[in-house]
Each structure stands twice: as structure tokens, then as C-alpha cells.
Amino acid sequence: MARPTPELIEALRRTAIKLKNGAPYQWGHMGGCNCGNLAQELTKLNRDQIHQYAMQRYGDWNEQVEDYCSTSQMPIDIVINEMLNAGLMLEDLKHLEKLDDRQVLARFPLEARYLKHNVRDDVVAYMNAWAELLKEQLLEKITLPNFQSMVYA
């Protein structure tokens, strides 16, 4: 599961809002699919740039992740590396493309867990649920000092 970072949480939320408000979405387009839309937020590249980078190598996001090399300097690997730097893991990209991470899906009522990977509204719901899960994980790591135990002069 992704490392919960404020940058990643906000990128998921912004992506969900943009998709909900009609941002271009096309599951078969490497820059306009589930991962492609999140990549736009994390890298500030546009959908066509991401798609062009991905087409320099074969395959969908799943195959791109399988072939990822952090030192290759292939443009799509640089995109993936930026996404990883924001807190994502390679497996997260696979799950996002299929909307199938069990921890995220567990946040939905049982009857609503069967999301379709290429339906905009399902992608929006998944990203919002994932952002909320990561926010909760981040907040669990924060500890505040016990001010009651401090002695003030």
C-alpha cells in the first residue's frame, strides 16, 4: 500500500474532483485512464505527453509497471518514478488501473465493492476512498505531546 503523504492524498482528491467535473477520461488512453489522470496531477504533464511517453514502449499500465526500471531514463519510467516519489508503490498503479485494492474496496458497502475499472464514477469513488484511507493512515502516525503532564513555571 502507498506511503501516506499529503502530496499523494491531495493528488488523489484533485484527480477525483477533475474527473467528476468532466476532465477527459478514456480508459484505453495511457494519459487519460485511471493511472494517466493521476499521473497528470503528480507530474504536471498533460494526457497527450504521458500517452506519447508510454507509447515508446509496449503495453498498458500493468505492463509498463512490470517493465519499469528506475535507472532506464525512458520517459514513461521517469513518469512512474515521479509517482513513486509521491508515495505510490508499483502495485498501487496496477490496483488503480483495475480498481481492485482490497483495503480500498473494504471501505465500500459489500454490495458496492464491484467497481468497473473503466467507469468514471467508479474511478472517482475509488480515488476518494483511497485518499480517505491514506489520510487516516497519515493521522495515525501523528503524535502530539501530552501537555497535561508538562509542568509550567
Side-chain angles (χ1 to χ4, degrees), residues 30-134:
M30 293 291 291
C33 58
N34 306 353
C35 287
N37 272 284
L38 182 58
Q40 289 178 51
E41 280 301 308
L42 290 171
T43 66
K44 305 308 178 206
L45 296 169
N46 67 44
R47 69 190 298 268
D48 292 330
Q49 289 170 308
I50 295 166
H51 186 76
Q52 180 184 12
Y53 292 166
M55 292 297 100
Q56 293 178 20
R57 192 163 61 204
Y58 66 92
D60 61 13
W61 275 95
N62 234 7
E63 292 164 316
Q64 298 285 356
V65 166
E66 288 294 326
D67 292 338
Y68 166 75
C69 174
S70 62
T71 59
S72 80
Q73 296 304 305
M74 289 277 301
I76 193 63
D77 287 342
I78 294 169
V79 169
I80 293 171
N81 197 50
E82 284 189 52
M83 297 175 81
L84 299 179
N85 288 339
L88 291 167
M89 307 294 280
L90 289 173
E91 289 301 311
D92 294 320
L93 297 174
K94 292 179 181 183
H95 290 306
L96 175 57
E97 204 55 21
K98 297 291 186 185
L99 304 182
D100 66 359
D101 184 279
R102 290 178 187 221
Q103 285 183 304
V104 176
L105 293 175
R107 303 183 70 79
F108 291 90
L110 192 56
E111 67 277 2
R113 291 184 187 172
Y114 300 99
L115 302 177
K116 293 189 189 303
H117 65 275
N118 59 352
V119 173
R120 177 190 300 264
D121 290 341
D122 287 355
V123 177
V124 169
Y126 185 92
M127 286 188 177
N128 282 324
W130 191 13
E132 192 62 26
L133 172 64
L134 292 173

